Amino acid sequence: MFNILTNVRGRIVGGLTALLMGGMSVFSFAHAGGHESVLRVIPHADLKNLDPIWTTAYISRNHGYLIYDTLFAMDSDFNVQPQMVDTYTKSDDGMNWSFTLRDGLTWHNGDAVTAADCVASLARWGKRDGMGQALMTAMGSMTAVDDKTFTFELAKPFGLVLESIGKISSNVPFMMPASVAATDAFEQITDFTGSGPFMFSKDDWVPGSTVEYTKFEGYNPRSEPASAAAGGKLALVDKVIWTYFPDQMTAMNALQTGEVDFFESPANDLAPLMSANPDITVEVNDPLGNIGFLRFNHVLPPFDNVEIRRAALMAVKQEDYLAAAVGDQAYWSTCYSVFPCGTPMASDIANDIIQVADTGKAKAALTAAGYDGTPVIIMQPTDIPVLSNFSLVTAQKLREAGFTVEVQAMDWSTLTSRRAKRDPVSEGGWNIFHTWWIGADIMNPTSIAFSGNPDAGWFGWPTDPVSEAARTKFFVAGSLAEQQELSSIVQNQAWTNAFSGHLGQFFSPVAYRNNVKGLIKSPVQFFWNISK
Amino acid sequence: MFYVIKRILATIPVMVVVALFVFCIIRLGPGDPASVIAGDYATAEDIQEIRIKLGLADPIPVQMGKWFVQLASGDLGKSYHSNMQVTKLISQRLEPTLLLAATTIILTILVAVPLGTLAAYKAGSWVDKFVMVFSVAGFSIPVFVLGYILVYIFAMELRWLPVQGYRSPFDDSFLQFVKHITMPAVTLSVIYIALISRMTRASVVEVLNEDYVRTARAKGQSEFKILLRHALPNAAVPIVTVLGISIALMIGGVVVTESVYNIPGLGRLVLDAVLSRDYGVIQGLILFFSFIYIFINLLIDLSYTLIDPRIRY
């Protein structure tokens, strides 16, 4: 308490002194740093956690991309390209890898980036990320040979080495100094020294409001043009300032008046209002968009019965969800693949079930499955409009098909803790929740969304040894054809056993002032290459 | 002085009870900070590991004991999310909230007291009815509606004022501070003007019927002097009480105004902490608010002795 009063008193005394000393400047219009080019951004969420390994939150990932760099990165064609790595070699059997770092890589404090830093960073990431854990399971040893070279010796075959360390979304294997990477993977780091194109200004961070990033003059970008997460990361503004807006209407107004430059995730229903302003561009920047998910709880009745899950899928129709939750058809499309449409693993295997959309057939299937009227508890997160609407559509469709449905309204935080419960409904259990995955996170079977292992899988806990075996093989698959074959097995199992309902693909537009140039098309919002 | 010391000492058990109550109530509620921190795609194992690291897997009495030990050393704790000291989070947010509250109260006093006094003096006239209609309207318009209307007129159409944000008069120019605080303060003050003007009217009407006012009139005092020297001071006690409570309410209760105008104040800090189940921040903030309430109530009680010499403690 004393600290608070001391801080405030200090500010007031200091401020009054400045007012007296400053005389007429009190009424000046000057802003600090008036000649700096500043990109003012409304991010999609408040940055609460600064450690992108400790949390999978996308906002922490985006923060990570500003201040950290990666060894490899995915380009706009979904190919993994070297980023901090200059050259690499692998043995014919794929068991031995050697990586050499580019020249001129330095941390924000001026120290050189070393191979030992990279090994330590990968080790920490490998304790938290799903693909990282798989890689570390196959890893025999990771060794820093000299300051610029490190090697992998695999103990068993692993086909996704580059895909793992070049993954684009959470948890991204960001490189940190070895001393920082030594932090327990389940505790937050406290030092935010990176080697990325911008530096984090810790003293200016106001959680819940403002985050400032300053251009790192010592950054040495690649010479290739920027392409998604890959290529040259050119910091073209002096500062990037994120200001979180809890109110979408206020955010839109601020963009309209030019108080901010870039609005990362406006609600779809605001898009027409902003499009009408000739100074503002509204467009979809993420080619993969988001995939709506209806998740069944496989361990509780009635959805412990596969035929009842299939009956539920027969009752729903993607268009209903997308129209209710997203609205304007310019921002959604149906997609009946469990992998995002337009990506290499997408297919039509066994997807008839999600296209039935017939209440009569669903009713008949439900009766045939022996449904006994067990109430279906749907958790409805009322603070997230898209998911709230998904929940209401499901409730309506299931009721029409003959299910007894109870919708329980709650906030998202309550839902995230309650969905971890495997207890019976009477003790806080649940039957259905909705969410969405960004397309980049479910592009192949390695995503935990497709887990068929009830002990270590994602909430809902399906049991499917066939799918799980295919997922395990996917990690060692050598060719694209082999990967697609294994993905087909996973998709077949996912639809046949009704792991989840996929509710279609929807796209959140970005909105920005027309003086903002150079946005990179990508599933992740990057802030390099942007000028204003 | 003895009374003041007694009142300050009496805050200690109150704060202890508040601390106990807050600690228990937030743990009885649904939600878990670890699941929020871990993110949407974490496994149950990840969440459990984070719970252990944060100390949330400890038995409740152990967690409570640790927190009370912290409090005893003057440490309100840390945010589970940002890892920042609660005292630092509060000090970051206190200035916007305090200055918003102060500006609002000044505006309220400047408008509501003359308005209420005028209504009382002209009781039953069209002036009185107009003030009362304004008062009812002030109570009835939701803050966010009024906020959006003002933003539309003064920021979007006329472009006189900014849509959002806060500028510190200590870090930025005073003019920028005024530009940014004007609409939030006006928005917030409308309901308080409605409240205080009604309160002032009722108190002044009562005083104007007292014998000493009749005596003053009989002695030839001007109506202005009667209002200023006899009516208002004697009507001040209930007005000051409501004003004091209003300030206390404003410190933590301006979340809608802060959201509409994107002001990083304490109200939003509370809301964010509750939504993300940041137990450390919620506990620290509620203790802080209870301290503010107690302190302001003490100031109100002490102010009575200045306003009314008959009151002694």
Side-chain angles (χ1 to χ4, degrees), chain A residues 99-323:
Chain A
F99 305 92
T100 304
L101 297 174
R102 283 194 287 133
D103 290 330
L105 298 179
T106 57
W107 299 112
H108 295 159
N109 60 14
D111 294 345
V113 175
T114 66
D117 294 321
C118 299
V119 167
S121 300
L122 288 173
R124 183 167 188 261
W125 163 78
K127 290 176 184 152
R128 294 302 306 271
D129 180 67
M131 283 186 83
Q133 287 166 0
L135 175 62
M136 294 306 151
T137 305
M139 188 70 72
S141 64
M142 282 191 295
T143 310
V145 178
D146 57 36
D147 278 354
K148 288 181 64 181
T149 309
F150 61 98
T151 57
F152 291 172
E153 280 185 32
L154 301 184
K156 52 186 182 181
F158 191 80
L160 303 176
V161 171
L162 297 185
E163 288 79 357
S164 300
I165 60 178
K167 67 180 291 201
I168 194 168
S169 193
S170 301
N171 299 91
V172 178
F174 292 117
M175 294 300 108
M176 300 174 180
S179 58
V180 178
T183 309
D184 186 316
F186 286 90
E187 288 180 9
Q188 281 203 72
I189 57 172
T190 53
D191 178 347
F192 307 102
T193 305
S195 65
F198 290 90
M199 296 185 293
F200 171 62
S201 309
K202 191 179 178 186
D203 292 341
D204 296 315
W205 180 40
V206 181
S209 177
T210 314
V211 198
E212 285 194 22
Y213 302 93
T214 311
K215 179 180 180 176
F216 175 40
E217 298 291 351
Y219 185 72
N220 178 21
R222 295 190 70 89
S223 56
E224 300 92 336
S227 173
K233 299 177 176 178
L234 301 175
L236 299 179
V237 290
D238 297 315
K239 271 188 177 180
V240 175
I241 300 180
W242 286 3
T243 305
Y244 174 63
F245 281 61
D247 184 85
Q248 284 262 331
M249 187 69 86
T250 306
M252 180 186 73
N253 291 339
L255 183 72
Q256 303 250 35
T257 56
E259 291 171 40
V260 293
D261 306 304
F262 184 88
F263 188 178
E264 187 187 348
S265 186
N268 290 77
D269 55 357
L270 296 181
L273 292 171
M274 288 185 285
S275 297
N277 186 330
D279 298 325
I280 291 174
T281 302
V282 181
E283 64 183 14
V284 172
N285 206 37
D286 171 7
L288 298 181
N290 310 295
I291 315 297
F293 246 62
L294 178 166
R295 188 65 162 177
F296 298 112
N297 185 344
H298 292 235
V299 299
L300 288 186
F303 295 124
D304 55 348
N305 179 338
V306 61
E307 295 307 326
I308 292 179
R309 293 197 300 273
R310 286 176 63 84
L313 289 190
M314 288 180 194
V316 301
K317 186 178 178 185
Q318 289 192 350
E319 287 91 335
D320 294 337
Y321 287 96
L322 295 165

Side-chain angles (χ1 to χ4, degrees), chain B residues 42 48 58 141 206:
Chain B
Q48 182 58 17
D58 292 341
I141 301 174
E206 196 180 323

Side-chain angles (χ1 to χ4, degrees), chain B residues 74-151:
Chain B
D75 180 2
L76 286 182
K78 267 186 176 181
S79 161
Y80 289 148
H81 291 272
S82 64
N83 218 16
M84 208 180 256
Q85 287 289 336
V86 174
T87 47
K88 183 167 185 194
L89 287 169
I90 293 175
S91 62
Q92 281 180 336
R93 305 298 193 101
L94 193 55
E95 182 197 306
T97 298
L98 277 184
L99 291 187
L100 175 60
T103 314
T104 304
I105 287 298
I106 290 169
L107 201 60
T108 301
I109 292 169
L110 289 178
V111 177
V113 174
L115 215 57
T117 309
L118 184 66
Y121 181 63
K122 299 277 186 187
S125 71
W126 67 267
V127 176
D128 182 25
K129 284 171 185 159
F130 173 79
V131 172
M132 288 307 102
V133 166
F134 170 80
S135 178
V136 171
F139 277 126
S140 311
I141 301 174
V143 168
F144 70 93
V145 172
L146 182 61
Y148 286 139
I149 290 172
L150 291 179
V151 166

